[in-house]
Amino acid sequence: FCYMSTQPKNKTKFARRTTESILAELILCKKLGWELGFVSGGHDAYSDVEFLELLKNINIVSGEKVWINIGAVSENELQQFKPYIKGVVASIETVNPVIHKKVCPSKPIKPFEDMLNHATKLDLKKAMTIILGLGETINDFNLLKEFINKHNIEKIHFYSLNPQKDTIFENAKQPTKEYQAEWIAKTRIEFPKIDIQAGIWVDKVENVSLLLKVGANSISKFPAIKSF
């Protein structure tokens, strides 16, 4: 998680998929009845012109506007993208400020809050992502509650840490399904109408039933096309 954000900028490398592969995957998702969580990528991986063209093509293939999760986006950029997007996703990851500063040094929260304010002005929907298991506790839920209320968040993605080698979380213990479920349940109780998406992975399929029962609307992050 956030491994790239801890690296010096001169070591950052971009890996861009072809437009054809993105649209082909979108066609498969549409045929299989899978909803698109968001279009994601590094903010600087595409120029504004290139990304605008990609959004146009995605809009044509999907027949609908999409969410975007490409980092903190300026008001001018949102204005350009608005014909093709329904909302923006802020990759907040953790609402605990101490932990956030440690694990997301290149992703400060303020630019995301500015983006959410721009989205409000442009009448776009707002969503956020949270990753559990970074060092926060359930006592931090009130911070999340404040953030959701402050920015009128309509959708939230709850992921759980998937430790990767050569990162500060290499030897970290993965959160239990009960812990992820507790965050989802508390969010559902506080915000009955919010759209909650629960992230899983290939080794967390057995978590799906519980996460849906406690309040998740859907699941995401399962690499179905890659796996099959």
Side-chain angles (χ1 to χ4, degrees):
F1 159 71
C2 271
Y3 174 69
M4 293 305 297
S5 78
T6 67
Q7 302 305 296
K9 288 188 176 181
N10 60 3
K11 287 189 177 181
T12 301
K13 295 180 180 179
F14 294 114
R16 281 178 44 163
R17 290 180 56 181
T18 63
T19 298
E20 291 81 1
S21 72
I22 293 172
L23 298 180
E25 183 169 320
L26 183 56
I27 290 171
L28 283 173
C29 290
K30 188 175 180 181
K31 293 293 184 181
L32 292 166
W34 298 343
E35 293 184 8
L36 193 65
F38 48 71
V39 176
S40 182
H43 190 185
D44 297 324
Y46 288 84
S47 69
D48 283 355
V49 173
E50 290 174 321
F51 191 64
L52 186 61
E53 185 65 24
L54 179 61
L55 286 177
K56 287 180 181 178
N57 287 323
I58 289 174
N59 183 256
I60 291 170
V61 172
S62 67
E64 61 181 357
K65 295 182 177 183
V66 296
W67 292 88
I68 58 170
N69 181 6
I70 59 170
V73 182
S74 70
E75 185 174 357
N76 287 337
E77 290 172 311
L78 287 181
Q79 189 74 61
Q80 293 180 56
F81 302 155
K82 186 177 179 182
Y84 310 104
I85 65 174
K86 66 175 69 173
V88 294
V89 183
S91 299
I92 301 301
E93 320 300 30
T94 178
V95 288
N96 182 303
V98 176
I99 296 172
H100 193 282
K101 187 174 182 180
K102 178 182 178 182
V103 301
C104 303
S106 67
K107 294 169 63 175
I109 290 181
K110 187 181 183 304
F112 284 112
E113 291 197 289
D114 291 341
M115 178 185 71
L116 294 172
N117 292 333
H118 299 326
T120 298
K121 191 185 303 182
L122 294 171
D123 198 28
L124 291 167
K125 294 183 177 183
K126 292 156 293 183
M128 66 186 294
T129 59
I130 288 291
I131 298 178
L132 302 172
L134 302 181
E136 82 296 326
T137 71
I138 196 63
N139 293 329
D140 291 318
F141 178 77
N142 283 335
L143 294 174
L144 176 63
K145 179 181 173 181
E146 291 172 11
F147 193 92
I148 292 173
N149 280 321
K150 179 179 179 181
H151 295 288
N152 192 26
I153 299 296
E154 299 177 51
K155 180 171 75 161
I156 183 167
H157 294 254
F158 279 110
Y159 306 119
S160 62
L161 178 67
N162 186 17
Q164 298 296 309
K165 188 177 180 181
D166 297 326
T167 70
I168 60 174
F169 293 107
E170 180 176 357
N171 298 313
K173 187 176 180 180
Q174 291 192 42
T176 65
K177 62 182 178 181
E178 289 80 13
Y179 182 66
Q180 187 178 9
E182 186 176 8
W183 277 87
I184 291 173
K186 288 177 76 68
T187 303
R188 173 58 66 220
I189 292 168
E190 289 290 342
F191 305 98
K193 296 182 179 181
I194 198 170
D195 181 2
I196 301 176
Q197 298 198 4
I200 60 166
W201 194 242
V202 290
D203 61 345
K204 295 183 174 68
V205 176
E206 69 278 3
N207 298 2
V208 172
S209 178
L210 174 64
L211 300 180
L212 293 177
K213 285 178 181 177
V214 298
N217 295 91
S218 58
I219 60 169
S220 64
K221 213 65 177 175
F222 182 77
I225 292 175
K226 184 183 291 185
S227 295
F228 302 102

PDB file of all heavy atoms in Angstrom, residues 1 3 7 162-172:
ATOM      1  N   PHE A   1       0.824  -1.206   0.000  1.00  0.00           N
ATOM      2  CA  PHE A   1       0.000   0.000   0.000  1.00  0.00           C
ATOM      3  C   PHE A   1       0.860   1.258   0.000  1.00  0.00           C
ATOM      4  O   PHE A   1       1.788   1.393   0.780  1.00  0.00           O
ATOM      5  CB  PHE A   1      -0.917   0.020   1.234  1.00  0.00           C
ATOM      6  CG  PHE A   1      -1.393   1.406   1.555  1.00  0.00           C
ATOM      7  CD1 PHE A   1      -2.301   2.018   0.732  1.00  0.00           C
ATOM      8  CD2 PHE A   1      -0.877   2.107   2.613  1.00  0.00           C
ATOM      9  CE1 PHE A   1      -2.712   3.315   0.990  1.00  0.00           C
ATOM     10  CE2 PHE A   1      -1.278   3.388   2.881  1.00  0.00           C
ATOM     11  CZ  PHE A   1      -2.203   3.987   2.066  1.00  0.00           C
ATOM     12  N   TYR A   3       3.175   2.249  -1.597  1.00  0.00           N
ATOM     13  CA  TYR A   3       4.627   2.075  -1.707  1.00  0.00           C
ATOM     14  C   TYR A   3       5.230   3.180  -2.559  1.00  0.00           C
ATOM     15  O   TYR A   3       6.251   3.771  -2.204  1.00  0.00           O
ATOM     16  CB  TYR A   3       4.937   0.702  -2.312  1.00  0.00           C
ATOM     17  CG  TYR A   3       6.398   0.473  -2.596  1.00  0.00           C
ATOM     18  CD1 TYR A   3       7.308   0.337  -1.547  1.00  0.00           C
ATOM     19  CD2 TYR A   3       6.864   0.380  -3.892  1.00  0.00           C
ATOM     20  CE1 TYR A   3       8.650   0.121  -1.791  1.00  0.00           C
ATOM     21  CE2 TYR A   3       8.205   0.165  -4.150  1.00  0.00           C
ATOM     22  CZ  TYR A   3       9.094   0.031  -3.100  1.00  0.00           C
ATOM     23  OH  TYR A   3      10.421  -0.189  -3.345  1.00  0.00           O
ATOM     24  N   GLN A   7       8.434   6.696  -2.210  1.00  0.00           N
ATOM     25  CA  GLN A   7       9.661   6.693  -2.984  1.00  0.00           C
ATOM     26  C   GLN A   7      10.043   8.082  -3.487  1.00  0.00           C
ATOM     27  O   GLN A   7       9.163   8.913  -3.738  1.00  0.00           O
ATOM     28  CB  GLN A   7       9.515   5.751  -4.190  1.00  0.00           C
ATOM     29  CG  GLN A   7       9.173   4.331  -3.821  1.00  0.00           C
ATOM     30  CD  GLN A   7      10.156   3.737  -2.838  1.00  0.00           C
ATOM     31  OE1 GLN A   7      11.329   3.561  -3.145  1.00  0.00           O
ATOM     32  NE2 GLN A   7       9.684   3.438  -1.635  1.00  0.00           N
ATOM     33  N   ASN A 162      -3.179  -5.325   2.348  1.00  0.00           N
ATOM     34  CA  ASN A 162      -2.642  -6.530   1.726  1.00  0.00           C
ATOM     35  C   ASN A 162      -1.119  -6.364   1.709  1.00  0.00           C
ATOM     36  O   ASN A 162      -0.564  -5.786   0.775  1.00  0.00           O
ATOM     37  CB  ASN A 162      -3.196  -6.676   0.305  1.00  0.00           C
ATOM     38  CG  ASN A 162      -2.785  -7.985  -0.339  1.00  0.00           C
ATOM     39  OD1 ASN A 162      -2.364  -8.913   0.337  1.00  0.00           O
ATOM     40  ND2 ASN A 162      -2.883  -8.045  -1.659  1.00  0.00           N
ATOM     41  N   PRO A 163      -0.420  -6.801   2.767  1.00  0.00           N
ATOM     42  CA  PRO A 163       1.013  -6.528   2.920  1.00  0.00           C
ATOM     43  C   PRO A 163       1.846  -6.947   1.713  1.00  0.00           C
ATOM     44  O   PRO A 163       1.645  -8.035   1.155  1.00  0.00           O
ATOM     45  CB  PRO A 163       1.391  -7.352   4.154  1.00  0.00           C
ATOM     46  CG  PRO A 163       0.116  -7.477   4.921  1.00  0.00           C
ATOM     47  CD  PRO A 163      -0.950  -7.615   3.872  1.00  0.00           C
ATOM     48  N   GLN A 164       2.757  -6.061   1.297  1.00  0.00           N
ATOM     49  CA  GLN A 164       3.625  -6.326   0.160  1.00  0.00           C
ATOM     50  C   GLN A 164       5.087  -6.359   0.602  1.00  0.00           C
ATOM     51  O   GLN A 164       5.501  -5.610   1.493  1.00  0.00           O
ATOM     52  CB  GLN A 164       3.442  -5.233  -0.895  1.00  0.00           C
ATOM     53  CG  GLN A 164       2.029  -5.149  -1.470  1.00  0.00           C
ATOM     54  CD  GLN A 164       1.631  -6.394  -2.231  1.00  0.00           C
ATOM     55  OE1 GLN A 164       2.351  -6.852  -3.104  1.00  0.00           O
ATOM     56  NE2 GLN A 164       0.478  -6.951  -1.889  1.00  0.00           N
ATOM     57  N   LYS A 165       5.855  -7.208  -0.048  1.00  0.00           N
ATOM     58  CA  LYS A 165       7.274  -7.336   0.268  1.00  0.00           C
ATOM     59  C   LYS A 165       8.013  -6.030  -0.044  1.00  0.00           C
ATOM     60  O   LYS A 165       7.644  -5.309  -0.964  1.00  0.00           O
ATOM     61  CB  LYS A 165       7.881  -8.493  -0.536  1.00  0.00           C
ATOM     62  CG  LYS A 165       9.304  -8.837  -0.137  1.00  0.00           C
ATOM     63  CD  LYS A 165       9.814 -10.037  -0.921  1.00  0.00           C
ATOM     64  CE  LYS A 165      11.238 -10.373  -0.515  1.00  0.00           C
ATOM     65  NZ  LYS A 165      11.776 -11.534  -1.269  1.00  0.00           N
ATOM     66  N   ASP A 166       9.027  -5.749   0.740  1.00  0.00           N
ATOM     67  CA  ASP A 166       9.877  -4.563   0.567  1.00  0.00           C
ATOM     68  C   ASP A 166       9.147  -3.259   0.868  1.00  0.00           C
ATOM     69  O   ASP A 166       9.530  -2.193   0.365  1.00  0.00           O
ATOM     70  CB  ASP A 166      10.480  -4.504  -0.840  1.00  0.00           C
ATOM     71  CG  ASP A 166      11.404  -5.678  -1.125  1.00  0.00           C
ATOM     72  OD1 ASP A 166      12.083  -6.130  -0.172  1.00  0.00           O
ATOM     73  OD2 ASP A 166      11.439  -6.138  -2.278  1.00  0.00           O
ATOM     74  N   THR A 167       8.079  -3.325   1.639  1.00  0.00           N
ATOM     75  CA  THR A 167       7.408  -2.118   2.111  1.00  0.00           C
ATOM     76  C   THR A 167       7.410  -2.132   3.630  1.00  0.00           C
ATOM     77  O   THR A 167       7.747  -3.147   4.263  1.00  0.00           O
ATOM     78  CB  THR A 167       5.946  -2.037   1.617  1.00  0.00           C
ATOM     79  OG1 THR A 167       5.170  -3.045   2.293  1.00  0.00           O
ATOM     80  CG2 THR A 167       5.848  -2.255   0.119  1.00  0.00           C
ATOM     81  N   ILE A 168       7.030  -1.013   4.239  1.00  0.00           N
ATOM     82  CA  ILE A 168       7.005  -0.949   5.701  1.00  0.00           C
ATOM     83  C   ILE A 168       5.957  -1.886   6.293  1.00  0.00           C
ATOM     84  O   ILE A 168       5.965  -2.153   7.493  1.00  0.00           O
ATOM     85  CB  ILE A 168       6.742   0.489   6.190  1.00  0.00           C
ATOM     86  CG1 ILE A 168       5.397   1.007   5.662  1.00  0.00           C
ATOM     87  CG2 ILE A 168       7.871   1.410   5.789  1.00  0.00           C
ATOM     88  CD1 ILE A 168       5.016   2.362   6.237  1.00  0.00           C
ATOM     89  N   PHE A 169       5.067  -2.405   5.447  1.00  0.00           N
ATOM     90  CA  PHE A 169       4.015  -3.300   5.931  1.00  0.00           C
ATOM     91  C   PHE A 169       4.304  -4.769   5.611  1.00  0.00           C
ATOM     92  O   PHE A 169       3.426  -5.610   5.745  1.00  0.00           O
ATOM     93  CB  PHE A 169       2.669  -2.908   5.320  1.00  0.00           C
ATOM     94  CG  PHE A 169       2.169  -1.566   5.784  1.00  0.00           C
ATOM     95  CD1 PHE A 169       2.189  -0.473   4.938  1.00  0.00           C
ATOM     96  CD2 PHE A 169       1.690  -1.389   7.068  1.00  0.00           C
ATOM     97  CE1 PHE A 169       1.744   0.770   5.361  1.00  0.00           C
ATOM     98  CE2 PHE A 169       1.240  -0.161   7.509  1.00  0.00           C
ATOM     99  CZ  PHE A 169       1.269   0.922   6.655  1.00  0.00           C
ATOM    100  N   GLU A 170       5.535  -5.049   5.202  1.00  0.00           N
ATOM    101  CA  GLU A 170       5.880  -6.414   4.783  1.00  0.00           C
ATOM    102  C   GLU A 170       5.518  -7.453   5.834  1.00  0.00           C
ATOM    103  O   GLU A 170       4.990  -8.527   5.517  1.00  0.00           O
ATOM    104  CB  GLU A 170       7.370  -6.497   4.463  1.00  0.00           C
ATOM    105  CG  GLU A 170       7.829  -7.873   4.017  1.00  0.00           C
ATOM    106  CD  GLU A 170       9.290  -7.902   3.616  1.00  0.00           C
ATOM    107  OE1 GLU A 170       9.928  -6.824   3.629  1.00  0.00           O
ATOM    108  OE2 GLU A 170       9.794  -8.991   3.287  1.00  0.00           O
ATOM    109  N   ASN A 171       5.758  -7.136   7.081  1.00  0.00           N
ATOM    110  CA  ASN A 171       5.500  -8.099   8.158  1.00  0.00           C
ATOM    111  C   ASN A 171       4.256  -7.750   8.979  1.00  0.00           C
ATOM    112  O   ASN A 171       4.059  -8.283  10.067  1.00  0.00           O
ATOM    113  CB  ASN A 171       6.725  -8.181   9.082  1.00  0.00           C
ATOM    114  CG  ASN A 171       7.969  -8.665   8.353  1.00  0.00           C
ATOM    115  OD1 ASN A 171       7.914  -9.653   7.625  1.00  0.00           O
ATOM    116  ND2 ASN A 171       9.085  -7.965   8.538  1.00  0.00           N
ATOM    117  N   ALA A 172       3.457  -6.854   8.450  1.00  0.00           N
ATOM    118  CA  ALA A 172       2.239  -6.450   9.166  1.00  0.00           C
ATOM    119  C   ALA A 172       1.188  -7.552   9.125  1.00  0.00           C
ATOM    120  O   ALA A 172       1.139  -8.356   8.192  1.00  0.00           O
ATOM    121  CB  ALA A 172       1.684  -5.172   8.555  1.00  0.00           C
TER     122      ALA A 172
END
